[in-house]
Structures are given as structure tokens and as C-alpha cells.
Amino acid sequence: MDDPSLQPGIAHSRRHLFAAASILAMAVWPGMARADKGGIPHNGGGNGHGANCFLRGTLIETPTGQREISSLAIGDLVMTRSGEMKPVKWIGRRQVQRACDTQWSDEVAPIRVMRSALAEGVPTRDLYLSQWHAIYLEGLLVTIGSLVNGSTIVRCNADERLSLEYFHLELAGPDIIFAEGTPSETLVVESGDYSKFDNWRERLTLEDSPEPALAAIAPVLNTTGGRRQLPSRLRSALAPLVDRRTDFDKLRDNIEERGERTKAVA
């Protein structure tokens, strides 16, 4: 990841002021608000846990190399951030559909993380996630919807597909696996309610470990949506004068600045 100690400048401030102004405009001018779109609501709850998934086609790192997520089965081994190989406990699946004359709602639209959007070679190729799915960067678990920047991380509302199929992997406890080379959270269902998945009944047939639940890897940071983004954008806009940015703000800013440099080179 880029050096978070780099001092923000005028261009940095201007970008975030523009983003903050856009958020405020959406809030005060209903006519600018996006109309409801088609698609089955995701209802992820915004807490980084639950049915927050990888799109079919995603490559997962395993001891024998990368495997397409839909080809994995219960018991297969995947690589984790610790370097350990761990078996898949369960694979949640869900399919969403839309009518021909609608776009995907924000709740279900896949978010595209372009190759090298996060760091050089991360992801190794374009990665598609649902908006509440969290990735692990610089010690933070951040929902991917919080990092949408319109250039290297974009929401695919107008995706040409009429059907999307999402998958998620559950291990024995919360963990970090690699999807397209990107450290990403595994499935955590704190409430024990797996009903958001199409195959939830299969999960009920599995015996849970009698051991106490493992602690979460890290708190999940979620600033998806304008109201949550506004304070962060204002802190970043004022950073050239007084830098009170949080770790998340700096992470997001570095990713956006990387995207700006990528566009300039292109």
C-alpha cells in the first residue's frame, strides 16, 4: 500500500470537497436522488457480516493454486492470512435476478475492484464483491462499498447480466482468505441466521464445533452511503490545514490517489 504519511495537498482537498458537496446535494435535492432499481434486496445489515459475497468466477487461493470459487466443496483446503491451510466448513450460495428494464440496486450490484487498485498486483485481476463484503488492509477490515471511488473501484449497477450468483466461504472461525490475491473476510453470521443464502437448510445439517466462537479478526469499518461518508470526506478535505484523518480515511485516500495516478498514466 502507498505511504500513508504523504502530506495531502490542494488537489487532495479539492477532490474531497467536491465529494462532500455531491453528498450534500444528494441529501437536499430529492430530484438528484437515484430512483429505486431492480433486484432482490441484499439486506446485509451493513456490519460486514452475513451474506456478503464473492461473485461467481472469483479465484480463491488454495494449497494447489487458485481455484474458481464455485468449484470448491466442503472440506477443501484454502490458504489463510496466517499461512495455514484450513478446510472449508460450508459454502453459502445465493442468486439474484433483475428484470430487463431495470438496473441492479445498490444492495446487490457487484462492485468491481480493478487489478492493482489496492496495491501493485492486488487484486491480481479484477475482483467482484457485494458491497458489504470486507477486505483486510493495513490491519483494518473495510467493507468494499466504503472504498468506491468511481475509477478503480466502481459499482456495476448497469451490469449486462440478468442474473448474478454469489458465494461465500465459512471456515471454523473468522479468518482472512485470498480472493484474486486480495485478503478478504470469511463468512461470519453472528446471529446464526443463514436464511439470506439459498442453500441455508444445508447449513442446518452441519454440527457446530463445541469450542467457543473465535474472536473477530478486527472490527468491520463501514462508511458505505453518503451520510457515513460525509464526515470522512470533510476530515480529508481539511487535512492540508489540520490532519485529523482516521486510519480508514488515510487508507481510502491512498487508494483514491493511486487511482488518480493510474488514470493520469493511462
Side-chain angles (χ1 to χ4, degrees), residues 9-247:
I10 299 302
H12 170 102
S13 182
R14 185 184 300 115
R15 184 172 68 252
H16 290 288
L17 282 173
F18 179 80
S22 297
I23 292 169
L24 289 172
M26 292 289 288
V28 300
W29 191 6
M32 290 184 64
R34 183 161 34 187
D36 288 340
K37 309 250 187 349
I40 301 171
H42 171 34
N43 193 26
N47 61 357
H49 298 302
N52 315 306
C53 309
F54 304 101
L55 195 64
R56 173 185 277 274
T58 301
L59 298 181
I60 304 296
E61 192 67 35
T62 77
T64 57
Q66 292 186 322
R67 288 183 56 186
E68 198 274 319
I69 193 166
S70 68
S71 73
L72 293 172
I74 292 173
D76 285 347
L77 296 176
V78 295
M79 297 301 302
T80 65
R81 177 175 169 269
S82 67
E84 293 183 75
M85 301 176 293
K86 297 185 179 180
V88 173
K89 179 177 181 177
W90 184 65
I91 302 172
R93 299 177 176 85
R94 67 189 183 100
Q95 191 171 55
V96 291
Q97 298 176 333
R98 67 174 177 86
C100 296
D101 58 347
T102 64
Q103 293 184 2
W104 293 112
S105 70
D106 286 352
E107 295 294 318
V108 299
I111 291 179
R112 176 194 180 197
V113 186
M114 291 178 59
R115 179 184 179 278
S116 295
L118 307 174
E120 187 60 37
V122 183
T124 54
R125 65 174 194 164
D126 290 359
L127 170 65
Y128 292 86
L129 305 168
S130 58
Q131 70 170 352
W132 303 119
H133 199 112
I135 59 175
Y136 186 79
L137 296 172
E138 298 184 7
L140 303 176
L141 267 175
V142 183
T143 58
I144 198 61
S146 302
L147 299 174
V148 170
N149 57 27
S151 57
T152 57
I153 303 177
V154 297
R155 195 183 302 275
C156 304
N157 298 91
D159 190 280
E160 69 279 3
R161 288 165 289 196
L162 297 179
S163 176
L164 300 172
E165 192 171 11
Y166 283 108
F167 296 78
H168 210 343
L169 304 181
E170 183 179 22
L171 307 188
D175 219 316
I176 302 298
I177 58 176
F178 294 91
E180 308 292 1
T182 304
S184 309
E185 69 168 352
T186 57
L187 174 61
V188 177
V189 181
E190 295 173 338
S191 65
D193 180 9
Y194 291 83
S195 61
K196 295 181 179 68
F197 293 99
D198 296 341
N199 60 330
W200 62 271
R201 289 184 177 83
E202 176 188 60
R203 180 59 179 78
L204 299 181
T205 67
L206 303 179
E207 292 186 8
D208 284 312
S209 169
E211 299 176 359
L214 299 177
I217 300 297
V220 176
L221 301 179
N222 174 34
T223 64
T224 302
R227 290 183 180 180
R228 289 173 171 154
Q229 280 279 331
L230 185 58
S232 174
R233 291 293 181 180
L234 292 175
R235 286 192 298 269
S236 289
L238 295 173
L241 300 176
V242 54
D243 195 347
R244 299 189 182 279
R245 291 178 297 167
T246 66
D247 289 342

